[in-house]
Structure formats: C-alpha cells, structure tokens
Amino acid sequence: MKKLLLNGFEPFLKYTINPTMKIVQELDGLTIGDYIIHSEVLSVDFNASGDELLAHIKQLQPDAVISLGLAGGRFKMTPERIAINFKDGERDNVGNNPVDEPIHMNGEPAYLSTLPIRAMVNHLTANGLPAEISNSAGTYLCNNVMYEGLAYAKSNNHNMLSGFLHMPASHELAIQHGNIPSWSHEDLKKGVQLCIEMLSENGQ
Ligand code: PCA
C-alpha cells in the first residue's frame, strides 16, 4: 500500500469557509486504489506553511503529495501545471504581505507538477465534473506550498510525486460570500477522489 499526504488549507481573506479543509478531513484514513490517505490542514501563513508541509512529509514519508486549495471564482476543478518561485499577494492570516519575493533565494524559477494532471482532467470530465489544467497557481499560499513540495522532491526524494489541485467554492461558502460560482460539497469531494484514482492508475 502506498501513502498519500493530502493537504487542505484553513479559511483566509474573505473566504470564511475553506471547503478543502472539510474534504481532507472526510477523506483521512480512506483507501483509494493503491493509496491510503493521510490528511493535514495547512496554515495560510507564508512563514509557516512550507515548514508545516515539509514536517508532514518527513514524518509520513509519503509516496505522493496532493495539496488542495480554494480558488474562489473558478468554475472548474483545476489541477495546476506549474509552481513559480515567487511570493506575492494580499496579507496572509498572520499579516505577512510579501511583494515579489522569492520562495527560495537561489531556487529554481519554477517546477512542473509530477501528478498525472491530464489524466486527472480527462477522468473528471468523463465523470461529469468540469475540469481543466491551470497554467498558474498564482503567487499566494497555494503556489508557495506547491513549490515547496516539488523542491523537496527534487532535492530529497525523486520518487515522491507532488502537485496541487485548485477547487471552486462550495455552496456553503458561496452563500456566505454572496457572489461566487460554487459546487456541492459532495461533487468537490468526488472530484478529489477521482483525481486520487488517476494518481493510483497513472502515477509512476
Ligand atoms: N487558496 C489560496 C491559499 C489557501 C487556499 O485555499 C491560494 O490559492 O493561494
């Protein structure tokens, strides 16, 4: 049996609920295909989230890492193709407000996801869920965590697959937010389960 580290994020900015938190909590301990799922929730804190991720990786020694984040305003599930070496964005949950800063001072400019993102998108759409590959994870916490996971894999464990899935809002969040496209919690969760099935079938 292989181990999957599945991360979600806490709420942030004007998003009073982060649907990824509930999804990872509900999938914790389940087995999908070859993978047993171990879930964690990461902080929306530029100074802490990378260290949190690396601590979970070192503790669990996973075969693969999938991190989930809310992309408020997106209509589709969007596996991310690339993480870039930049931190920039609105104030995080503890007040960090980086502008054009590198994540790693002399790090690679970017890393490509090692998840089977095309197979994931095809499997999602074949099962009736709108999906497309995203070519930008932004420069906020999600990009930060995706970059850290791939940088770790590159320098410490070439076999560990790693990447990021951005998710639309849930209906529960959309009601609170007021003006945002949304999916049911069940469809969001099913989307993540379908992606893990593809990881099991197509991940090397
Ligand atoms: N989404 C944010 C950070 C946390 C989350 O769920 C992002 O897209 O960077």
Side-chain angles (χ1 to χ4, degrees):
M1 189 59 65
K2 293 179 178 173
K3 288 181 279 184
L4 172 67
L5 174 61
L6 182 68
N7 301 298
F9 272 105
E10 63 182 8
F12 64 104
L13 297 173
K14 55 190 179 298
Y15 307 112
T16 48
I17 295 167
N18 195 328
T20 66
M21 227 171 117
K22 192 163 150 191
I23 293 168
V24 303
Q25 284 162 352
E26 288 181 4
L27 295 178
D28 189 28
L30 299 187
T31 298
I32 298 178
D34 294 338
Y35 282 90
I36 178 144
I37 300 169
H38 177 95
S39 299
E40 296 287 348
V41 175
L42 303 175
S43 310
V44 175
D45 174 345
F46 276 110
N47 290 338
S49 61
D51 289 344
E52 289 172 6
L53 174 77
L54 297 186
H56 297 319
I57 291 174
K58 285 174 192 159
Q59 161 107 36
L60 184 67
Q61 302 282 324
D63 299 282
V65 180
I66 297 181
S67 302
L68 309 178
L70 166 69
R74 284 197 190 166
F75 289 84
K76 299 180 180 181
M77 264 192 72
T78 46
E80 295 293 344
R81 194 191 302 273
I82 188 164
I84 60 174
N85 190 18
F86 278 102
K87 310 192 251 193
D88 189 295
E90 291 185 68
R91 238 166 249 293
D92 68 16
N93 285 357
V94 297
N96 296 308
N97 189 21
V99 177
D100 296 342
E101 282 181 30
I103 296 169
H104 285 190
M105 193 52 88
N106 294 309
E108 294 290 326
Y111 289 107
L112 296 177
S113 175
T114 49
L115 300 178
I117 56 174
R118 180 60 66 193
M120 286 174 169
V121 165
N122 291 344
H123 195 46
L124 288 163
T125 52
N127 282 275
L129 295 177
E132 66 187 0
I133 291 175
S134 163
N135 294 309
S136 174
T139 51
Y140 201 51
L141 270 299
C142 293
N143 174 72
N144 194 73
V145 156
M146 182 176 172
Y147 185 93
E148 290 281 15
L150 287 162
Y152 179 88
K154 190 84 175 179
S155 48
N156 298 284
N157 178 358
H158 293 277
N159 296 324
M160 187 186 83
L161 302 175
S162 185
F164 203 95
L165 309 179
H166 258 130
M167 320 279 297
S170 59
H171 294 330
E172 195 188 5
L173 170 59
I175 289 167
Q176 292 201 8
H177 182 279
N179 186 21
I180 198 170
S182 59
W183 287 22
S184 71
H185 170 71
E186 287 313 315
D187 279 350
L188 290 170
K189 191 164 103 178
K190 181 177 157 200
V192 175
Q193 289 170 298
L194 290 167
C195 288
I196 299 171
E197 274 175 28
M198 275 304 98
L199 171 70
S200 179
E201 285 179 29
N202 290 310
Q204 279 115 43

